Structure formats: structure tokens, C-alpha cells
Amino acid sequence: MILGIHDGHNSSSSLISRERILWAMSEERFVRKKNYRGFPKNSLSYILSKEKDFEYITVGSVFRKGKRLGDIKEFQSKVMKKLLYIYHHLSHSYLYKLSNFKECLVISIDGAGDGLSFLASIGSKDLEIIAESDVIDSVGDFYASITELLGFKAMKDEGKVMSLSSFPCSERIELKVLDYIEELKSFKNFLGVVGREGTEKLRELLNYKGESFNEKVKISRFAQETLERAVLKAVDNLSKEYGIENIVFTGGVAQNVKLNTKIAENYNLFVPPFMGDEGLSLGSSLSDGKIGRIEIKNTYFGYEIENEKVEEIIEEKKLSYKYLEDSEIPEVVGELILKNNIVCVARGKMEFGPRALGNRSILALPTRENRERINKILGRDWFMPFAPTILYEHVDEYLKEPKYSPFMTLLFKVKEEKIKEIEGVVHVDKTTRAQTLKRESNPIYYDTIKYIYDSINLPVLLNTSFNLHGEPIVCTERDAINSFLRTKFNYLLLANYLIKRENL
């Protein structure tokens, strides 16, 4: 077994065998600080409390100094194991081993890591590097600068820019700041600066004063179109040159589902469900030459909720509850949702990656009313869409040109006649970021939605992550209770214990 560590932005820990992923989780979930940067001591401790034996350590990213390096060396001296540093973009790229492609073009794009912002490789038995860009020509940094320019937090709120770019706007910005240069096999940043300097340069060029929502939309559309044009050009050129139509897209920019969907229109696409820097711990371990392809059906690799710990907290806080057997959950929770209750769920192993996929979720009927209720309770930005979970057998009824998308990495156009029925999970451009669910991925979650379908002919639920606005997704039993107590949601299913709001 191989222990993986990432100690930078959105740090994480993982443990894999040569056949499967055993554990993987972000440190932010333990320390309750979004995108936590630092040594992942809590997630490491949790993994080592479950599995003490491993062969060696891999670390995602190479360059570090000071306390970061000291923490790594101190940990190594405690466990006395071999340690290998794996370059940042290689760690992203080795996630290609989770795809089912025998050969693929692997594209890794983010803000920057170990001096690079883009790496293209051919993935087969190993990776063959074919193109790269350095920090100054960073695609991810351009999008982060737009995020900062619009008053959001860079490296965190890029999804807000993407959401705004879907709103209608008659004005267009004609400005060339980013391109892919075929002869160089590299992106080119015509601003010539990055970071805060890039933000200020864009402020000057765009004459941005932050006066209106329409202005934000206009600039967001410009950023999204610039991103899509540059990345699609790179993919098209490299695919044509090397004759490969299987694409693995990873790195922080692969969180942009609008871009992913554009790529998927013309290529066979796989986006790892932990495409951001949290995936570096796992990706670094996948660099082991003895590891081939690993199939994943879900992302439940994190902290595991336990009934015994729930019992202790319930007794301590004197909460009223009802214990449910696994076989009872679909009907009981399904009935609550049918009565228009909003149900928080924290059970089983936590998802790894940015999406809640049924084990750390807030569930409701996909109505406009519920969208507005949840937005108000959580204090979310009104323009941010919610996503659905749809039973895979029924995707053709709701989505145009559907694909199997178990990890919410693609957008789909919703059929016109179905928009009103699931209005709460349809964005302004008539798209939705669906999790298409097969029973093998999560039987109890699947059966809950199936119960609702059997009752009212609706195989769709609103599924948003169980966390307060600005906080990480809940991790432990106590996190779930504390977050629930700070909201006005109706019910919490915590492991096998159903806790009701009115009894609190």
C-alpha cells in the first residue's frame, strides 16, 4: 500500500493498494477551513488509525521549504518509510489511471504548480510529456484574476464566474488576452503578468467599476469564452497531431463544467472527480509503475460516520431521534421528502472531491420553492444553481444527449417539456449539472429516489452539499449535528438515526 500526501492548497491524504483506493480525504473537512493549506495531520491520523501498514510515501508537488518541508521530514522520521516527491502536474495527470482508456491525451491545467500551469501527456502504460506552459502563461491564473476582479475570492469562487457567464448579455468584449500557440505547444498570456498584477491589468483594460450585475455578467461571459476558446484550441491541435480522441482533463480548471461539456461534445472525456489540488495526494501514489488502471464507481473514500459515535452525541445533547434499519431508510426518508421536507444526510464514508454525491448531502424535491428556501437558509448567492441526482435509467426523459455522469463533471441541456417539473435544478441557460446515479454506486440513496419515483413518477432530487455557506462539507458526526443545529432544515439522517427539527 502507498500513502499519499498533499500539503499545499486544499491539502489531503490518501491510501491505495495496487488494486483499489482505500482512503482519500481533504484536510479542510477536519479543520473546518475551506481549501486549507498545510500539512494534513488530521486526515493522515485518521487513515493511519484504520491502516497502519504501508510500503512508502508519495508527496504531490516537489518544491517546498521552511515549515512545509519540516513537517514532511518530521512525519517521515516518525514512520521511517521511503518518500518520493512527484511533480505537481504529473500528480494531476496520473489520475488518468482511473479512466478506462487504454490510450489517452491527458490535459492538466490550473493556476500553477512546481513552475508549470499546463502539462499535456500521452497516457498509456505511463505518461509521455508532449507540451507544457510555465506560470506566466497560466490559463487558470487568468480565470482567477477575473474572479478577484469581480469581487469574489480567487482560488475559491471561480464557480460563481462560470455561473454568471450563463446569464444573457447583449454586449460582447473584444479583447485578446489569452491564446494557444500551436507552434509553441503552449498557451500565451498577452497580459504578460499574473496574480494581483494580472487582476489590475484586467481592471484597466476592461474599465471595470463594479457598477452593475450586467457588467459582472458581461465580464464573466468574456472570461468563459476566452477560456473555452483557448483550451478547445489546445485540445483540438494536440488530438489531431497525435491521433487520440480519448481525453482525460484534470487540474483545477477541470472544475469548470461548462468547459468540460464543450470538450465532451467532440471527444471521449474523463474528468477525475477530484480534479483539483485535493487529488494530488492520490495522483502522486498512482505514479507507481506497478499500478495499472483502477476502476471507481463512487467517491466514498473519506471519514466514515459510525452509529456508536452518533449515539454518544445524541445522549450528550439530549436529542430526540428515531433509529432506522438500512432497509427502512428509503421509504422513511422518501416520505419525508414527498411531504416537501428538506432532509440533511450524513452517513457512510465521506465523498472525496468537491461534490456531495449522496453521503453528505441536502436533499429535497427539485422545485423552485425549495431552491429559494435552501438559498435563504444557507445564505447562498441567488445566481448560483443547484444540481440534481437523476436515476440513470431515466436520464433520456429529462436530458438532451445524456451521458453517464456519476461525479457531476458535465452539464446537460434539460428537455423543454421537463424544465417546469424540475425547475429548482435548472440554470438560467436551461442546463443542469446532473449526477446520473446507478444503484451500484449507492444503493440506499438510489432506493430513496426510486421510492419517490414509484410514488409520484419523479426520478429526480435536488442534491446540494451539506455545509453552511463558506464552510467545507461536513465530515464527522459532530460536524453534521453542529451544522444542522445552526440551520432551519427539517430533518437530519445521521448514520441510522433520524433527528427531527421540531424536537430540538
Side-chain angles (χ1 to χ4, degrees):
M1 292 189 290
I2 305 168
L3 186 69
I5 295 174
H6 168 55
D7 62 335
H9 170 258
N10 202 356
S11 63
S12 63
S13 307
S14 62
L15 185 70
I16 66 172
S17 70
R18 291 195 164 87
E19 294 79 33
R20 65 191 184 98
I21 300 169
L22 301 171
W23 299 95
M25 58 205 80
S26 296
E27 185 71 6
E28 66 164 26
R29 309 285 172 87
F30 291 85
V31 300
R32 311 307 302 154
K33 183 178 179 182
K34 192 81 172 169
N35 293 321
Y36 176 77
R37 180 187 295 270
F39 187 75
K41 64 179 182 179
N42 296 283
S43 51
L44 271 175
S45 294
Y46 181 77
I47 290 174
L48 293 177
S49 73
K50 303 293 183 180
E51 302 277 356
K52 291 185 170 54
D53 188 35
F54 59 93
E55 295 173 49
Y56 68 98
I57 306 162
T58 62
V59 179
S61 295
V62 172
F63 299 113
R64 56 184 43 74
K65 59 184 179 179
K67 186 177 186 303
R68 279 185 69 190
L69 182 58
D71 288 341
I72 292 283
K73 299 300 289 182
E74 181 181 349
F75 178 75
Q76 184 187 24
S77 68
K78 286 180 180 178
V79 298
M80 292 303 290
K81 299 283 186 178
K82 178 181 79 171
L83 186 149
L84 298 179
Y85 294 100
I86 309 299
Y87 280 93
H88 183 100
H89 280 277
L90 286 176
S91 295
H92 277 312
S93 298
Y94 272 111
L95 293 171
Y96 86 95
K97 291 187 177 182
L98 303 180
S99 76
N100 61 6
F101 300 141
K102 289 184 177 179
E103 183 182 56
C104 53
L105 183 62
V106 187
I107 305 290
S108 174
I109 307 177
D110 62 11
D114 286 338
L116 297 179
S117 59
F118 158 65
L119 185 75
S121 313
I122 296 173
S124 184
K125 291 183 178 178
D126 205 345
L127 289 172
E128 175 192 348
I129 297 172
I130 57 173
E132 59 186 34
S133 295
D134 55 29
V135 175
I136 200 69
D137 293 315
S138 174
V139 172
D141 190 88
F142 158 73
Y143 210 86
S145 285
I146 291 289
T147 303
E148 185 177 53
L149 174 67
L150 295 180
F152 305 127
K153 190 170 179 58
M155 303 284 285
K156 179 184 177 185
D157 291 335
E158 281 73 12
K160 295 182 179 181
V161 177
M162 184 187 71
S163 295
L164 285 170
S165 74
S166 297
F167 283 81
C169 182
S170 57
E171 297 180 73
R172 293 180 64 87
I173 297 173
E174 299 294 340
L175 179 65
K176 189 173 183 179
V177 296
L178 187 70
D179 198 4
Y180 177 79
I181 310 299
E182 185 176 358
E183 296 81 1
L184 302 178
K185 282 191 172 62
S186 173
F187 293 101
K188 177 66 177 176
N189 169 21
F190 295 104
L191 295 175
V193 289
V194 293
R196 182 59 61 86
E197 290 180 89
T199 303
E200 293 311 312
K201 186 72 173 177
L202 285 165
R203 189 186 308 277
E204 176 188 336
L205 290 171
L206 297 170
N207 192 30
Y208 178 68
K209 297 181 174 62
E211 294 171 348
S212 68
F213 179 76
N214 285 341
E215 192 176 7
K216 281 184 165 62
V217 170
K218 180 174 69 172
I219 290 176
S220 295
R221 289 179 69 94
F222 157 72
Q224 186 68 28
E225 289 167 2
T226 299
L227 173 73
E228 291 176 5
R229 186 165 50 245
V231 174
L232 289 170
K233 183 177 178 182
V235 172
D236 288 345
N237 274 276
L238 292 168
S239 173
K240 183 178 179 181
E241 179 176 353
Y242 291 94
I244 300 172
E245 294 191 349
N246 298 326
I247 309 295
V248 173
F249 186 32
T250 187
V253 173
Q255 294 184 69
N256 190 300
V257 291
K258 290 186 72 173
L259 172 58
N260 295 351
T261 303
K262 290 283 188 180
I263 297 172
E265 288 175 2
N266 298 308
Y267 299 96
N268 305 314
L269 178 67
F270 173 73
V271 178
F274 19 83
M275 68 295 280
D277 282 356
E278 74 280 357
L280 293 174
S281 59
L282 186 56
S284 67
S285 297
L286 288 170
S287 68
D288 187 296
K290 295 177 184 176
I291 296 178
R293 298 297 193 274
I294 293 178
E295 182 184 10
I296 57 170
K297 294 180 179 178
N298 56 54
T299 62
Y300 311 129
F301 306 124
Y303 179 95
E304 188 166 15
I305 297 282
E306 299 176 12
N307 277 320
E308 293 77 10
K309 293 182 180 177
V310 176
E311 290 167 7
E312 293 174 8
I313 299 172
I314 285 175
E315 186 174 334
E316 170 195 324
K317 293 185 176 290
K318 295 180 170 50
L319 303 176
S320 297
Y321 66 88
K322 179 180 180 181
Y323 181 87
L324 302 175
E325 298 292 345
D326 283 0
S327 60
E328 296 178 288
I329 290 173
E331 180 177 352
V332 173
V333 172
E335 279 293 335
L336 291 174
I337 292 171
L338 286 169
K339 292 173 182 174
N340 212 30
N341 290 292
I342 298 170
V343 180
C344 301
V345 175
R347 64 186 322 273
K349 295 177 75 172
M350 178 175 61
E351 299 90 341
F352 184 46
R355 305 297 172 218
L357 301 172
N359 278 9
R360 301 291 189 279
S361 291
I362 298 171
L363 306 177
L365 292 175
T367 62
R368 180 177 181 177
E369 175 199 0
N370 281 337
R371 179 181 69 197
E372 292 172 353
R373 286 169 68 195
I374 296 171
N375 261 341
K376 184 176 181 180
I377 291 170
L378 294 180
R380 292 171 88 250
D381 292 297
W382 66 269
F383 56 82
M384 292 291 287
F386 285 107
T389 301
I390 306 177
L391 298 185
Y392 180 65
E393 294 84 352
H394 298 276
V395 292
D396 288 321
E397 300 166 26
Y398 289 83
L399 309 178
K400 297 178 181 178
E401 300 181 18
K403 297 179 173 72
Y404 183 46
S405 183
F407 309 127
M408 286 188 178
T409 54
L410 294 172
L411 284 179
F412 300 95
K413 282 282 186 183
V414 179
K415 289 186 175 181
E416 198 72 35
E417 66 272 20
K418 291 292 186 179
I419 290 175
K420 191 71 175 174
E421 186 178 329
I422 60 169
E423 190 177 8
V425 293
V426 181
H427 198 29
V428 65
D429 59 354
K430 301 179 181 180
T431 65
T432 193
R433 190 192 69 213
Q435 173 194 10
T436 56
L437 182 66
K438 294 182 179 180
R439 191 174 189 276
E440 63 186 17
S441 296
N442 191 328
I444 289 178
Y445 185 33
Y446 179 97
D447 289 346
T448 302
I449 304 176
K450 179 68 161 55
Y451 181 86
I452 291 168
Y453 170 72
D454 290 340
S455 301
I456 61 170
N457 201 35
L458 179 68
V460 184
L461 276 187
L462 184 157
N463 169 20
T464 193
S465 57
F466 183 12
N467 60 278
L468 301 177
H469 187 55
E471 291 187 2
I473 295 173
V474 300
C475 176
T476 67
E477 299 84 356
R478 198 167 291 277
D479 294 337
I481 286 282
N482 290 342
S483 292
F484 180 66
L485 293 175
R486 291 163 61 194
T487 70
K488 294 181 181 179
F489 294 123
N490 308 111
Y491 290 89
L492 167 63
L493 179 66
L494 185 56
N496 289 71
Y497 291 86
L498 183 67
I499 300 168
K500 189 177 182 182
R501 160 64 52 189
E502 66 185 31
N503 291 332
L504 298 178

